[in-house]
Amino acid sequence: QVQLVESGGGLVQAGGSLRLSCAASGRTFSSYAMGWFRQAPGKEREFVAGINWSGGYTYYADSVKGRFTISRDNAKNTVYLQMNSLKPDDTAVYYCAAGSVDIIRGVITGIDYWGQGTQVTVSS
């Protein structure tokens, strides 16, 4: 069993930065690939960024490449999402997830655990 708790969301102006954290409980954290997803009002949940179990491989949606960076610290059971150059279109609830890497598609799939989400609002 893995429990995921996100933090770090908030209100920021366009062009600003935020750093999201996802703290995991459970001894199996390091065996999972981790991902960040987001869901804006009226839209489906979408993949944002992912990282394999060791942190050696990362994956990003085209919409955030070059602006967002995912990382993990297995000693702290924590995964991070550094978000720079934020845009109003980045406004959404951001969710942390534990799953597997789909190497062909370059996304995190087969989600076993979700966090409760943290709101990110970017004002123009």
Side-chain angles (χ1 to χ4, degrees), residues 65-110:
K65 279 181 183 175
R67 300 188 298 123
F68 291 10
T69 302
I70 188 171
S71 62
R72 69 188 296 163
D73 185 338
N74 286 343
K76 295 183 178 180
N77 279 12
T78 303
V79 62
Y80 305 97
L81 185 68
Q82 178 66 43
M83 305 186 294
N84 298 329
S85 302
L86 283 161
K87 306 174 182 179
D89 283 349
D90 295 318
T91 295
V93 177
Y94 282 71
Y95 298 90
C96 175
S100 304
V101 176
D102 183 328
I103 295 174
I104 294 176
R105 295 169 57 208
V107 299
I108 304 301
T109 188

Side-chain angles (χ1 to χ4, degrees), residues 12-13 36 42 44 46 50 65 87 97:
V12 64
Q13 288 188 331
W36 287 96
E44 292 187 353
E46 64 176 358
K65 279 181 183 175
K87 306 174 182 179

Side-chain angles (χ1 to χ4, degrees), residues 2-124:
V2 175
Q3 291 186 320
L4 304 174
V5 179
E6 301 98 333
S7 62
L11 174 64
V12 64
Q13 288 188 331
S17 299
L18 282 175
R19 188 194 197 201
L20 305 183
S21 298
C22 173
S25 64
R27 285 181 275 182
T28 60
F29 171 78
S30 61
S31 67
Y32 281 99
M34 298 298 296
W36 287 96
F37 293 74
R38 67 186 181 187
Q39 187 167 19
K43 295 187 177 181
E44 292 187 353
R45 191 171 299 189
E46 64 176 358
F47 170 77
V48 174
I51 189 166
N52 77 323
W53 70 272
S54 69
Y57 294 92
T58 56
Y59 311 89
Y60 297 96
D62 287 343
S63 59
V64 306
K65 279 181 183 175
R67 300 188 298 123
F68 291 10
T69 302
I70 188 171
S71 62
R72 69 188 296 163
D73 185 338
N74 286 343
K76 295 183 178 180
N77 279 12
T78 303
V79 62
Y80 305 97
L81 185 68
Q82 178 66 43
M83 305 186 294
N84 298 329
S85 302
L86 283 161
K87 306 174 182 179
D89 283 349
D90 295 318
T91 295
V93 177
Y94 282 71
Y95 298 90
C96 175
S100 304
V101 176
D102 183 328
I103 295 174
I104 294 176
R105 295 169 57 208
V107 299
I108 304 301
T109 188
I111 303 300
D112 287 337
Y113 302 102
W114 289 98
Q116 84 289 348
T118 185
Q119 177 71 47
V120 172
T121 303
V122 184
S123 63
S124 57

